[in-house]
Amino acid sequence: MLIQHILPVAMLLTASPAAVEPPWGKAENLGQRMLLEATAVCTDGRGHYVVSVPREDTDERDDQLYYGDGKSLVEVPRPKGRGLPATTFLDPRFFNPTAIADYDGVDLRVHSQLNVDTKERTCSLRCGERKAALEMLPGTEARELLRKATFVPNPQKFVPHALLRDSEGTYYYVDKGFTPADARNFRVFIGPRGNLKPQKMTNVVSDSEGEIFTTKLGQLRLVIDRAQKPMWIEKARKEVELRNVPVEQNLPLIYNELGVYTGIRLGTPCDDQ
């Protein structure tokens, strides 16, 4: 199956997210108003707000987290693990070595957490090992902020897909579009740690045997779950054997040390910590 790299990177990076409806809709009926009133808003006092929407048992809707400046609030991606609340969220920029490395297949060491106690009216945020106390807004003030705010999708455009390196320490990194609709939009970066450079993509081939990413400089061949080794083939037909570097076990490296995502916002409460 031949897949073309259709959308320009510049378009993916600059497109403005469209506003979405909040969990309580227009707060027109009793259930919607109750959900709005039960939603907690926490702030660090510096213009940053975390919104925690509780689970609504009437329709089995999961809880949800939003973060922003109060005028615009972005949806924080839910954790992938079963049974994990939205107040636990992935942010690989922060690492907590004391957390569980394998919680039903989820590495909690790269997850951070918002703690909300509605009875005591307290909030706190943990980003990796870093902790910060937050203030919970009074009900009337919180509802006013929520009614006026614009809710938008998460700002992330790309997520990790594959990481490889050669014997000399050169990394070959591939990411893909963040949303399911953009999952076939790939980018390739090559270089030493801290200085990976984006490559000009010319073609992508993806099928059951693996993936071939063609750039102006050469081809990056990734063979998934096969005996063959991944390979970088330059235009001059020079072949460089590569080693797979597991993505899930190296998320802090990818987000903090490769240089690809330096300064990027992930749309989590840890963006400004």
Side-chain angles (χ1 to χ4, degrees), residues 65 67 76-80 86-96 106-114 125-130 154 156 248 251-256 261 264-273:
L65 211 62
Y67 178 70
V76 180
R78 289 187 50 78
K80 295 181 179 180
T87 48
T88 297
F89 53 91
L90 175 68
D91 196 320
R93 299 169 300 180
F94 297 86
F95 189 75
N96 181 13
V106 177
D107 187 353
L108 293 182
R109 297 176 300 176
V110 291
H111 284 70
S112 293
Q113 188 174 34
L114 174 73
L125 176 65
R126 178 185 59 78
C127 297
E129 296 182 283
R130 187 182 306 174
N154 190 273
Q156 294 184 66
E248 295 300 324
L251 289 175
L253 166 70
I254 291 171
Y255 280 89
N256 294 324
Y261 300 125
I264 197 170
R265 295 181 70 83
L266 300 183
T268 81
C270 295
D271 272 349
D272 299 291
Q273 296 300 310

Side-chain angles (χ1 to χ4, degrees), residues 21-28 32 35-36 61 146-147 151:
E21 189 174 70
W24 47 83
K26 297 180 180 180
E28 294 176 330
Q32 291 176 335
L35 182 61
L36 174 61
R61 177 183 294 166
L146 293 173
R147 288 181 183 275
F151 290 78

Side-chain angles (χ1 to χ4, degrees), residues 46-57:
R46 297 184 289 112
H48 308 124
Y49 299 87
V50 189
V51 175
S52 178
V53 184
R55 181 184 179 92
E56 188 180 13
D57 293 330

